[in-house]
Amino acid sequence: EAIVTSEELGQDLEHVEVLQKKFEEFQTDLAAHEERVNEVNQFAGKLIQEQHPEEELIKSKQDEVNASWQRLKGLALQRQGKLFGAAEVQRFNRDVDETISWIKEKGQLMASDDFGRDLASVQALLRKHEGLERDLAALEDKVKALCAEADRLQQSHPVNASQIQVKREELIANWEQIRTLAAERHARLNDSYRLQRFLADFRDLTSWVTEMKALINADELANDVAGAEALLDRHQEHKGEIDAHEDSFKSADESGQALLSAGHYASDEVKEKLAVLSDERSALLELWELRRQQYEQCMDLQLFYRDTEQVDNWMSKQEAFLLNEDLGDSLDSVEALLKKHEDFEKSLSAQEEKIT
């Protein structure tokens, strides 16, 4: 009876399970003694049937034994119920504690101030964070189930209702906190990603501008018309490539302006990079225009040299014609020479237009 009337219900799930095991041993012992009680009843019945002179005393003792036995079984059932209830409460406490422990462990990861140093590291952190968020989504069902279990236990175990409510509130507080941390970290990682994306575009564009400037400055001025034409064609190809990058410059500028409009934590750096990008683009266009003018001037000069050389060659040939002292020795030969001279004068007029 001391076992079944004990008020000890355990301090934790492990302790309760130890008590339950001891109680199961007691129940086995109790079941073993039921046969002995039955034997007592059978013997008492026999004595009464034989009209034993102590019949009243026998009946009294039989009733006393049966009453004690039933009371013991009743107390055993009560004790079994209490231990079962205690196990339910302690199992709930353990599940809540384990869940809170997991939440706090993940909370330390959420509280990290590492938001990446470049695009690749930010993308890796985002993937890791998305994995944590999937874990949280899976945990949400468990939190809901524990809250429902808390409501049920408060109804079935009113004595423990206040303690269960404290546990429930502790769980909810930790759950809300990690959800807030997760949302804040995700937002900060997105901010970091947008910044690193912008900086990567900035580096790509400024590097390309440097390469393009080197290409534009690489060619020496030509020494003939064909070379000058080739320079102008190649220079126009450079302009085509510059025009093809206009969308990239526009996109980078829009990304930077969006960061500034959102009040990004790196706004000062973004503003500085936008200014550099604008200056680099303007400098590239100015350089291209300067070289275009130089190449066109080179073309004009080479055309002048070519035309001058052609005129010089023509005049040299015609001078030999004019110095010829052959004036003809017959009418036909004189007429032929006159015809040649007229052709020369026409050619001279054409060359004069070209020279002037």
Side-chain angles (χ1 to χ4, degrees), residues 9 55 58 119 123 135 159 201 208 220 229 265 277 283 293 305 338 346:
L9 296 174
E55 181 179 344
I58 292 169
L119 192 59
Q123 289 174 322
D135 291 343
V159 175
D201 291 343
W208 173 80
E220 297 290 337
E229 287 177 343
Y265 63 85
L277 204 57
Q293 293 174 9
Y305 285 155
L338 282 170
K346 289 178 182 178

Side-chain angles (χ1 to χ4, degrees), residues 275-292:
V276 170
L277 204 57
S278 177
D279 291 345
E280 286 290 310
R281 177 180 171 277
S282 297
L284 177 61
L285 290 173
E286 289 172 6
L287 175 63
W288 185 89
E289 179 60 24
L290 174 64
R291 293 297 278 177
R292 183 192 66 79

Side-chain angles (χ1 to χ4, degrees), residues 74-308:
L75 289 171
L77 283 174
Q78 290 178 19
R79 176 68 176 164
Q80 185 179 34
K82 286 179 181 180
L83 286 173
F84 178 79
E88 281 191 315
V89 172
Q90 293 299 342
R91 191 172 292 109
F92 166 78
N93 289 338
R94 182 202 60 186
D95 291 346
V96 169
D97 288 341
E98 287 179 352
T99 303
I100 290 174
S101 176
W102 185 91
I103 288 174
K104 287 182 176 178
E105 179 186 333
K106 301 303 178 184
Q108 290 177 348
L109 297 175
M110 301 285 187
S112 169
D113 58 358
D114 179 11
F115 300 104
R117 299 169 304 283
D118 52 39
L119 192 59
S121 61
V122 174
Q123 289 174 322
L125 287 172
L126 268 171
R127 286 192 296 271
K128 184 177 180 181
H129 186 75
E130 286 164 0
L132 288 173
E133 287 183 322
R134 285 191 292 273
D135 291 343
L136 286 182
L139 184 67
E140 186 172 10
D141 290 338
K142 185 174 183 180
V143 171
K144 288 179 178 177
L146 286 172
C147 287
E149 178 69 357
D151 293 338
R152 185 186 72 80
L153 290 175
Q154 283 178 295
Q155 293 294 324
S156 59
H157 304 289
V159 175
N160 303 104
S162 60
Q163 180 268 324
I164 293 168
Q165 181 61 20
V166 168
K167 266 309 188 201
R168 184 179 188 275
E169 290 172 358
E170 184 183 358
L171 174 64
I172 292 172
N174 278 275
W175 173 244
E176 293 298 334
Q177 183 183 25
I178 198 169
R179 286 181 64 188
T180 301
L181 279 174
E184 289 174 351
R185 180 160 177 78
H186 202 157
R188 190 68 186 269
L189 283 171
N190 279 334
D191 285 345
S192 180
Y193 173 78
R194 290 192 299 150
L195 173 65
Q196 295 301 335
R197 176 75 272 172
F198 167 76
L199 292 177
D201 291 343
F202 168 81
R203 286 190 293 271
D204 289 345
L205 285 171
T206 52
S207 175
W208 173 80
V209 167
T210 300
E211 291 174 4
M212 187 55 62
K213 284 180 178 178
L215 279 176
I216 291 173
N217 279 319
D219 292 320
E220 297 290 337
L221 295 178
N223 295 316
D224 54 41
V225 174
E229 287 177 343
L231 279 178
L232 281 170
D233 288 343
R234 190 154 55 246
H235 195 58
Q236 198 57 43
E237 289 175 3
H238 294 333
K239 185 61 166 62
E241 189 173 349
I242 292 172
D243 291 342
H245 277 75
E246 277 301 302
D247 286 344
S248 297
F249 278 101
K250 183 179 178 182
S251 176
D253 184 72
E254 288 174 352
S255 297
Q257 295 299 337
L259 291 172
L260 294 179
S261 298
H264 195 277
Y265 63 85
S267 290
D268 290 343
E269 182 183 5
V270 172
K271 196 178 297 182
E272 177 192 342
K273 300 297 187 197
L274 284 173
V276 170
L277 204 57
S278 177
D279 291 345
E280 286 290 310
R281 177 180 171 277
S282 297
L284 177 61
L285 290 173
E286 289 172 6
L287 175 63
W288 185 89
E289 179 60 24
L290 174 64
R291 293 297 278 177
R292 183 192 66 79
Q293 293 174 9
Q294 291 174 344
Y295 291 152
E296 287 188 352
Q297 289 171 355
C298 177
M299 181 68 172
D300 291 341
L301 180 61
Q302 294 305 322
L303 286 171
F304 171 74
Y305 285 155
R306 184 194 66 182
D307 292 346
T308 301

